[in-house]
Amino acid sequence: MFSAISRVFRTPDLRRKILFTLGMVALYRLGTTIPAPHVNYVNVQMCVDGVNAADGQASLFSMLNLFSGGALMQLSIFALGIMPYITASIIVQLLRVVVPHFEALHKEGQSGQTKLTQYTRYLTVALAVLQATTLLTVARTGGLFGANSNAACSNVLDLVTETTGFDVTTNILRMIIMVTAMTAGTAAIMWFGELITERGIGNGMSLLIFTSICASFPQAMWSLISGTGGGITFVVVLLLAFLVLVAVVFVEQSQRRIPVQYARRMVGRRTYGGQSTYIPIKVNQAGVIPVIFASSLLMLPMLIAQFNTPSDGTTPPEWVVWLQNNFVSGDSWPYMLAYFLLTIGFAYFYVYIAFNPDEVAENMRRQGGFVPGIRAGQPTADYLSHVLNRITFPGSIYLGIIALLPLIALATVGANQNFPFGGASILILVGVGLETVKQIDAQLQQRNYEGLLR
């Protein structure tokens, strides 16, 4: 293993790509610590410390803060992280189902993909403006830090129009400057990711998310050590985390291979086709997307409860109290049940968008391919749908269990919702880690005929 790693750095081209990737990651982490203009850094840090010190406190923006590497709570120039780009990519992919123009671009090959990438960039900037405005509005009203908000936390931006010496126009100008800075930060992150993909080791956007999640590990581990159980809880969690990691790697690598045979045909004096291949259908075909979808949808009850809570301290309506008791903190059984069922539903939904059996069967028919024992055309599409249904069921149950792990940790050991050994975080860590190792291994085999792993 160590000799393989030494071969990586002895290969000039690969060494240059890895060092370039590390440089981009360092710039990204530096940007997460730079506060946005007009942010009261001292007050922000005091509020962040209050959130970290509160065991089991759920935060409305916990997942966004996890994906930004803690930059969102610190209101830095990279506070939005890569989430606007992820959201834009998902929206553009979903639009292929309802907009024929997007589906036509997807089938055009490289030129169409370039056009879709351009649309994704434009949509990313638009979403960044919207999310930055929402973030600053929530922070200004004191709702960013949840139950730990106090007088200082409700004035962290110093943007209140009643501030002495500043009029309404000045405060609006400040807001525009801050939104512009955060939007530019998102554009810079998107540029970093594309540079890593082109000049680094690949998977630029995924590696930036991987870095952000890893940056939350020290704080999460310290919260376990300083909690009620202390060192015993820390050791038990590490052992369980190892078992979860092994299980996730096993499932993520599992796939059903459907054999495909291509008919042999003669073109002039040459013979084409006749080879055998397979269609790999992973157990977790949807990846991390259903978990993100489910957690995003469950933010709506939190927002409804927050914006319908009276600011004068009076008792809110009964339905608002019910939402606060069951859907604001993640340790309640209605929240867990809804999260589990939504994850399963979105898993089926996204799998049938990403893998269209009718389209796959039609492409096989045009190229002279067929599944042994299954007629080409509609029978092949029906067979693929049957296999996809059967393989998606255990995959969706697996996703639901993985999604609940941080909430179970929140209810049992008092960890916060940034708990790194479950949910979207563990899926991203394992997926990106495996893909990065495969890419480095492939590049090593091209040069040394021996990969990173034997």
Side-chain angles (χ1 to χ4, degrees), residues 130-194:
L130 177 62
Q131 292 183 14
T133 305
T134 304
L135 172 63
L136 295 176
T137 302
V138 173
R140 182 182 170 188
T141 57
L144 179 62
F145 301 98
N148 299 281
S149 297
N150 51 38
C153 296
S154 63
N155 197 26
V156 291
L157 303 180
D158 197 19
L159 284 175
V160 182
T161 55
E162 291 82 9
T163 304
T164 305
F166 297 100
D167 54 12
V168 176
T169 304
T170 304
N171 284 283
I172 293 177
L173 181 61
R174 283 186 172 189
M175 179 71 79
I176 294 175
I177 292 174
M178 298 180 71
V179 170
T180 303
M182 290 185 177
T183 304
T186 299
I189 295 173
M190 184 169 55
W191 182 51
F192 289 166
E194 293 179 354

Side-chain angles (χ1 to χ4, degrees), residues 397-446:
I397 299 297
Y398 150 80
L399 276 180
I401 295 174
I402 293 297
L404 289 181
L405 288 181
L407 304 182
I408 296 174
L410 174 69
T412 56
V413 301
N416 56 36
Q417 286 192 328
N418 292 342
F419 187 69
F421 300 120
S425 58
I426 193 68
L427 295 174
I428 292 174
L429 290 177
V430 172
V432 176
L434 291 174
E435 186 63 28
T436 302
V437 170
K438 289 180 181 178
Q439 290 193 2
I440 296 176
D441 182 72
Q443 296 189 35
L444 273 180
Q445 289 182 352
Q446 291 177 358

Side-chain angles (χ1 to χ4, degrees), residues 54-372:
D55 293 336
Q57 288 292 342
S59 173
L60 177 63
F61 299 96
S62 58
M63 177 171 288
L64 299 179
N65 188 58
L66 176 65
F67 285 166
S68 67
L72 183 135
M73 288 293 186
Q74 296 181 10
L75 297 175
S76 70
I77 57 175
F78 287 175
L80 302 180
I82 202 66
M83 284 304 294
Y85 180 83
I86 295 176
T87 307
S89 300
I90 295 173
I91 291 175
V92 170
Q93 189 171 4
L94 293 178
L95 286 177
R96 287 171 41 198
V97 182
V98 295
V99 180
H101 176 65
F102 283 84
E103 182 64 22
L105 289 176
H106 176 70
K107 295 180 179 179
E108 285 182 5
Q110 185 62 36
S111 60
Q113 291 294 333
T114 302
K115 197 69 174 178
L116 289 177
T117 302
Q118 198 69 17
Y119 289 155
T120 303
R121 292 170 182 168
Y122 295 148
L123 185 58
T124 299
V125 174
L127 290 175
V129 173
L130 177 62
Q131 292 183 14
T133 305
T134 304
L135 172 63
L136 295 176
T137 302
V138 173
R140 182 182 170 188
T141 57
L144 179 62
F145 301 98
N148 299 281
S149 297
N150 51 38
C153 296
S154 63
N155 197 26
V156 291
L157 303 180
D158 197 19
L159 284 175
V160 182
T161 55
E162 291 82 9
T163 304
T164 305
F166 297 100
D167 54 12
V168 176
T169 304
T170 304
N171 284 283
I172 293 177
L173 181 61
R174 283 186 172 189
M175 179 71 79
I176 294 175
I177 292 174
M178 298 180 71
V179 170
T180 303
M182 290 185 177
T183 304
T186 299
I189 295 173
M190 184 169 55
W191 182 51
F192 289 166
E194 293 179 354
L195 286 178
I196 294 174
T197 302
E198 295 175 2
R199 303 181 184 180
I201 58 177
N203 287 337
M205 302 298 179
S206 301
L207 279 176
L208 293 181
I209 301 177
F210 181 91
T211 304
S212 300
I213 296 175
C214 289
S216 66
F217 268 65
Q219 178 62 42
M221 294 296 98
W222 178 252
S223 65
L224 291 175
I225 296 176
S226 59
T228 306
I232 298 177
T233 301
F234 177 73
V235 173
V236 172
V237 169
L238 283 185
L239 292 176
L240 293 177
F242 177 76
L243 297 177
V244 170
L245 186 63
V246 172
V248 171
V249 172
F250 177 77
V251 176
E252 291 297 315
Q253 294 289 83
S254 302
Q255 57 183 223
R256 167 74 182 274
R257 296 181 177 182
I258 299 178
V260 177
Q261 181 72 34
Y262 285 92
R264 184 175 300 176
R265 53 195 177 96
M266 296 290 296
V267 179
R269 295 186 177 181
R270 294 187 177 182
T271 303
Y272 294 91
Q275 73 271 21
S276 298
T277 183
Y278 60 87
I279 300 175
I281 300 180
K282 297 178 62 177
V283 174
N284 181 20
Q285 187 80 3
V288 72
I289 301 300
V291 180
I292 297 178
F293 276 7
S295 60
S296 300
L297 190 61
L298 285 177
M299 285 184 179
L300 293 178
M302 298 182 184
L303 287 172
I304 294 174
Q306 179 179 343
F307 288 110
N308 286 275
T309 301
S311 58
D312 55 359
T314 58
T315 302
E318 293 184 2
W319 64 273
V320 175
V321 175
W322 186 84
L323 287 179
Q324 291 175 345
N325 294 333
N326 295 285
F327 284 93
V328 172
S329 66
D331 55 353
S332 61
W333 70 265
Y335 185 96
M336 293 185 181
L337 180 61
Y339 198 11
F340 183 77
L341 296 178
L342 285 174
T343 302
I344 294 177
F346 281 125
Y348 275 93
F349 172 74
Y350 189 77
V351 162
Y352 275 90
I353 290 178
F355 187 92
N356 189 341
D358 294 329
E359 182 180 352
V360 174
E362 180 63 21
N363 292 335
M364 289 172 53
R365 186 187 64 81
R366 290 177 179 176
Q367 298 173 8
F370 61 93
V371 178

